[in-house]
């Protein structure tokens, strides 16, 4: 602490000046201080962010005139009806299925990393695991997608690796699977899935690790003492206790996959995901109401998801 | 000796190691590709290694312009986010008031909702309000979702800082601003710096919201996105990708070293 402050007399001296009086006011009236502190962030987020969100929501209740292509400013549910057309329903099911697959596999891949980091890593290894998850999490999203474009390309490292170990027929077999296969990995759903899994994996690891760190070792020992073998302890003790962390992580993987429009555009087949549909409708088509209605879909899905997650206690693990 | 000793089972070690490798190998691959002599495809293994693409990239004005814009946007957005985030954190951490939960939800919302929603909402709002797209519209969007990282860091530190320190300072005759300068800021300074660094990294890298809030201006991620969709200069893109990785790693490592001691005292590393 600054010595000049501690060295000043203990008796409070009246300090004149506008600034000092303002400071006294803040101390005597905490509500004024609170208002001063809260006003800038609340105004910024409330006006710019929430304002835009509500404006967008309002537009989903307008509809576009099919002949002129202009937005008609009359309240209607017609645009939401359009969401139920088979082609749009397909987009929604495709995206939700992908989000669910990514979430399940992210949980499976993340568990060993999170468990090892929470339970066994000490000292230097703890730092290695922490940074090992944080660096990929924070490194550039586009660079990560780009790296996968390099990996999955037909002339890329994955094809090379498969042919080096003589598993080319296996790769061709996988690509021949209808729906998820394709000409090469970079234009198939498998490719899209791998990139999603890679990009969102750290978001699953961190909350899982936080939940696992709170599981007392004594519980695991007690389970072993009662005669459970390690896999029984895993199933009946560890996993139920780690579940809030899994649910917390799944909020990220699910929501991020629902809203992404860049990954399926760069790696994957030409069939649209929700994000791409939003992008296409607001851009070239100029159909803002339908784009707005499309954005309501992930918001509603996430609303239900969060409601369920809260009931499972997932927010304590965040 | 129970089965839950300090030594991890081999299977777990392998799975955890493989998981970490899965997270890192793709990024390392970028570094190799930056040196390849191949221009027309993503051929592996590289037919030869060269340094010439670094010189080529260095002489590209469009890359420099994009980099300069990105740095400007990130710096200004970070400054706004640090002010808004620390104010909000101070209010939420130090007092109870009506709507406190709503305020913290509102701060988190811009990153909890998919970025495309934030992006299209801002775009249609700019459209309705007749605001022309410029660097400032990009900053408006970036600052909005950067607030949360500063807020998270600051609120955690405020909770660990004892309120009696502030009272002691006031008792000893310091006014509010002196207390802020000599007591509060030294305590939360590193948390703000760490939050600011993360906000900078977040803004520097953002592409989803930016595609909606930018007009003709290209930030570095926008430049990269165009190259990803329609590859024209693959070698230059490789070099830019590598530089972006290196540039974003520095603030993250910095933020880690600034906050790691605090995390230890809190008893859990998040």
């Amino acid at each position: 602490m600054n010595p000049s402050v501690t060295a000043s007399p203990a008796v409070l001296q009246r300090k004149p000046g506008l600034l000092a009086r303002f400071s006294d006011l803040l101390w005597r009236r905490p509500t004024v201080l609170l208002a001063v502190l809260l006003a800038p962030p609340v105004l910024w987020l409330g006006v710019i962010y929430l304002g835009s969100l509500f404006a967008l929501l309002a537009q989903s209740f307008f509809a576009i005139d099919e002949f002129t292509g202009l937005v008609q400013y009359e309240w209607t549910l017609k645009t939401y009806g359009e969401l139920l057309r088979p082609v749009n329903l397909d987009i929604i099911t495709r995206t939700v299925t992908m989000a669910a697959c990514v979430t399940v596999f992210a949980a499976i891949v993340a568990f060993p990393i999170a468990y090892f980091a929470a339970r066994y890593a000490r000292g230097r290894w703890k730092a290695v695991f922490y940074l090992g998850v944080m660096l990929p999490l924070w490194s550039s999203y586009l660079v990560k997608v780009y790296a996968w474009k390099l990996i999955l390309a037909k002339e890329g490292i994955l094809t090379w690796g498969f042919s080096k170990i003589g598993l080319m027929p296996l790769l061709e077999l996988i690509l021949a699977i209808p729906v998820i296969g394709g000409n090469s990995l970079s234009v198939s759903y498998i490719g899209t899935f791998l990139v999603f899994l890679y990009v969102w994996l750290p978001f699953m690891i961190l909350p899982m690790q936080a939940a696992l760190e709170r599981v007392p070792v004594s519980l695991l020992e007690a389970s072993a003492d009662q005669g459970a073998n390690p896999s029984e302890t895993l199933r009946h003790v560890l996993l139920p206790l780690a579940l809030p962390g899994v649910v917390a992580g799944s909020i990220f993987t699910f929501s991020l996959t629902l809203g992404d429009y860049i990954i399926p555009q760069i790696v994957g087949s030409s069939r649209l995901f929700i994000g791409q549909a939003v992008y296409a409708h607001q851009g070239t088509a100029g159909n803002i109401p339908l784009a707005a209605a499309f954005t309501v879909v992930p918001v509603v899905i996430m609303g239900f998801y969060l409601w369920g997650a809260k009931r499972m206690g997932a927010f304590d693990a965040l | 000796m129970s089965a839950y000793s300090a030594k991890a089972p081999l299977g777990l070690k392998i799975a955890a190691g493989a998981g970490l490798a899965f997270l890192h190998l793709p990024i390392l691959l970028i570094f190799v590709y930056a040196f390849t002599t191949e221009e027309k495809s993503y051929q592996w293994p590289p037919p030869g290694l060269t340094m010439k693409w670094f010189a080529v990239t260095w002489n590209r004005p469009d890359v420099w312009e994009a980099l300069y814009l990105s740095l400007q946007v990130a710096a200004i957005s970070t400054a706004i986010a640090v002010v808004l985030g620390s104010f909000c954190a101070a209010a939420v951490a130090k007092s109870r008031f009506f709507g406190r939960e709503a305020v913290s939800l509102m701060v988190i919302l811009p990153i909890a909702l998919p970025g495309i929603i934030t992006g299209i909402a801002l775009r249609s709002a700019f459209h309705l309000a007749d605001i022309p797209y410029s660097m400032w519209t990009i900053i408006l969007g970036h600052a909005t979702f950067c607030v949360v990282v500063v807020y998270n860091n600051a609120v955690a530190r405020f909770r660990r800082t004892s309120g009696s320190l502030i009272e002691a300072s006031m008792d000893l005759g310091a006014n509010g601003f002196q207390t802020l300068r000599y007591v509060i800021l030294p305590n939360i300074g590193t948390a703000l710096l760490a939050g600011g660094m993360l906000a900078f990294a977040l803004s520097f890298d953002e592409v989803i919201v930016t595609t909606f809030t930018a007009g003709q201006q290209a930030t570095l991620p926008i430049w990269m996105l165009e190259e990803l969709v329609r590859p024209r200069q693959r070698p230059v893109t490789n070099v830019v990708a590598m530089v972006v990785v290196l540039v974003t790693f520095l603030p993250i490592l910095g933020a880690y070293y600034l906050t790691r001691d605090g995390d230890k005292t809190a008893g859990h590393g998040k």
Side-chain angles (χ1 to χ4, degrees), chain B residues 252-264:
Chain B
I252 295 147
L253 287 174
Y256 168 69
Y257 281 107
L258 286 172
T259 49
R260 75 190 156 145
D261 294 329
D263 283 338
K264 263 181 210 145

Side-chain angles (χ1 to χ4, degrees), chain B residues 195-268:
Chain B
M197 281 174 163
L198 293 179
F200 192 91
L202 192 66
S203 163
F204 188 75
D205 177 41
E206 216 294 326
V207 65
I208 294 189
V209 176
T210 319
T211 47
F212 289 97
T213 54
Q216 295 302 311
Q217 308 82 356
T219 60
L220 203 56
I222 299 266
W223 184 91
M224 270 206 73
L225 181 64
E226 274 162 22
E227 285 299 315
L228 276 174
V229 179
R230 279 175 291 277
R232 276 184 305 235
Q233 309 99 357
R234 292 171 204 239
V236 176
T237 315
N238 291 335
V239 173
V240 170
M242 190 186 100
V243 172
V244 167
V245 170
L246 290 176
V247 168
T248 38
F249 272 16
L250 294 178
I252 295 147
L253 287 174
Y256 168 69
Y257 281 107
L258 286 172
T259 49
R260 75 190 156 145
D261 294 329
D263 283 338
K264 263 181 210 145
T265 49
H268 52 77

Side-chain angles (χ1 to χ4, degrees), chain A residues 60-63 74-84 293:
Chain A
S60 71
F61 292 101
F62 300 142
E74 287 165 24
W75 298 106
T76 167
L77 285 173
K78 203 176 126 212
T79 311
Y80 282 97
E82 248 177 86
L83 272 187
L84 297 175

Side-chain angles (χ1 to χ4, degrees), chain B residues 49-189:
Chain B
L49 298 175
T50 173
M51 295 280 283
K52 78 169 177 186
W53 302 122
F54 288 87
V56 172
T57 311
W58 186 267
N59 293 319
R60 286 286 297 267
D62 55 334
V63 175
W64 282 109
E65 270 168 36
L67 177 70
Y68 182 60
L69 180 66
S70 277
L71 289 175
Q72 249 182 321
V73 167
I76 301 174
S77 314
T78 303
I80 297 172
V82 166
V83 173
L84 296 180
S86 54
F87 274 33
C88 201
V92 168
K94 285 293 171 211
S95 44
R96 304 269 171 277
F97 55 88
F98 177 73
R100 184 165 164 270
E101 296 283 311
V103 168
S104 56
L105 178 71
M106 189 168 78
V107 173
I108 293 168
L109 211 55
I111 58 159
L113 287 182
I116 191 165
I117 296 177
T118 310
I120 188 180
L122 287 172
R123 189 178 184 92
S124 63
F126 292 151
H127 185 74
L128 288 177
D130 257 335
I131 302 171
Y133 300 111
S134 67
M135 184 180 87
W136 294 101
T137 51
I138 305 178
I139 291 170
L140 220 56
H142 281 206
T144 304
F145 60 74
C146 282
V147 172
V148 63
V149 265
V150 180
Y151 169 83
N152 274 349
N153 270 283
V155 95
R157 186 64 63 87
F158 268 123
R159 291 210 175 111
R160 283 201 291 273
T161 311
S162 161
S164 52
L165 277 180
I166 296 167
E167 281 158 24
S169 157
M170 300 299 246
D171 283 350
L172 289 165
N175 69 26
F177 295 101
Q178 286 167 325
T179 308
L180 178 73
R181 166 78 182 78
Y182 295 112
V183 178
I184 301 176
L185 279 184
N187 266 307
I188 65 160

Side-chain angles (χ1 to χ4, degrees), chain A residues 238-263:
Chain A
L238 200 54
L239 286 184
L241 286 169
L243 198 64
V246 179
V247 176
S250 75
I251 294 170
F252 292 107
T253 54
F254 201 81
S255 155
L256 290 167
T257 313
L258 279 187
D260 196 279
Y261 72 96
I262 287 177
I263 291 173

Side-chain angles (χ1 to χ4, degrees), chain A residues 2 18 98 119 136 145 158 167-168 190 220 236 238 267 269 282 290 313:
Chain A
N2 189 301
L18 216 59
M98 177 62 85
R119 173 87 176 77
V145 179
L158 211 60
L167 285 178
M168 231 16 223
I190 304 177
L220 305 181
H236 298 298
L238 200 54
V267 176
S269 66
Q282 70 84 32
L290 186 55

